[in-house]
Amino acid sequence: MAEVVITSENWEEEVVNSDVPVLIDFWAEWCMPCRLVAPIIEELAKEYEGKIKVGKVNVDEEDELAMKFRIMSIPTIGLFKNGKMVGKLIGARPKADFVRFIEKYLNEDTSQKEESLEVEITYDNWEEEVVNSDVPV
C-alpha cells in the first residue's frame, strides 16, 4: 500500500476512523533529514501492509496538524491509534529504530490504557525517564 497524504480534510477518515494503527511522517520538502527517512518510510509501508497505514503530513501545508501535535522538529514520525498519538520518534534514524518503534506499539494494547504524559523526574529515575526516553522530554 502506498503512503497516504494526510490533510486536515481527510484526517478523520484516514487516521481517526482507521481500522489499523497509522504511522505518520511529519515532514517538509526543504528538510534534508526528511528526505533521508522517506525511502525507509516507503519500505515500512510495504512491509507492514495490512498491519498499519502509513501517511505523510507536509508541515508547511498542514501547519494546523503540526501545531495540534506539537511538531517542533522534523522529521517526526508519530504512531496513532484511534486518532490519538501513542508514540513518536524525532529525527533521521536507521530503519531498525523504526521497526522497533512500530513493533512496540503493535504488540501493546493502548486502546484501554490512558497513560499520563506527566512523569515526575527525580535523581533516581533521571536516566530511565530522560536519557533513555523514546519520546521528547
Side-chain angles (χ1 to χ4, degrees):
M1 173 186 244
E3 300 157 311
V4 178
V5 175
I6 306 291
T7 65
S8 296
E9 289 77 34
N10 69 2
W11 178 263
E12 191 83 17
E13 176 189 342
E14 297 291 349
V15 181
V16 176
N17 297 331
S18 178
D19 294 336
V20 294
V22 184
L23 184 78
I24 297 183
D25 177 10
F26 291 90
W27 71 288
E29 185 98 17
W30 49 265
C31 168
M32 195 52 66
C34 298
R35 291 180 183 204
L36 293 172
V37 167
I40 296 170
I41 301 300
E42 279 182 45
E43 286 177 27
L44 294 171
K46 292 175 187 161
E47 291 172 19
Y48 284 91
E49 186 172 353
K51 294 181 182 177
I52 64 171
K53 181 186 293 187
V54 176
K56 295 180 81 66
V57 172
N58 183 323
V59 297
D60 289 335
E61 296 171 1
E62 297 295 330
D63 56 335
E64 284 181 28
L65 286 176
M67 287 190 308
K68 179 177 181 177
F69 295 104
R70 298 182 180 148
I71 305 302
M72 305 297 224
S73 300
I74 52 174
T76 293
I77 310 302
L79 190 72
F80 292 78
K81 285 187 173 183
N82 304 316
K84 295 181 181 172
M85 185 184 287
V86 295
K88 68 180 168 181
L89 288 176
I90 299 172
R93 295 168 180 247
K95 182 178 177 182
D97 286 3
F98 293 111
V99 169
R100 273 192 300 278
F101 174 70
I102 293 167
E103 291 294 330
K104 173 184 175 183
Y105 289 103
L106 280 181
N107 297 322
E108 179 178 277
D109 182 18
T110 57
S111 61
Q112 300 295 323
K113 188 166 66 171
E114 272 301 315
E115 217 175 284
S116 172
L117 295 177
E118 294 182 19
V119 175
E120 182 178 355
I121 304 297
T122 65
Y123 179 80
D124 294 330
N125 70 0
W126 170 261
E127 187 169 330
E128 179 184 346
E129 296 296 341
V130 177
V131 177
N132 297 328
S133 176
D134 64 348
V135 295
V137 179

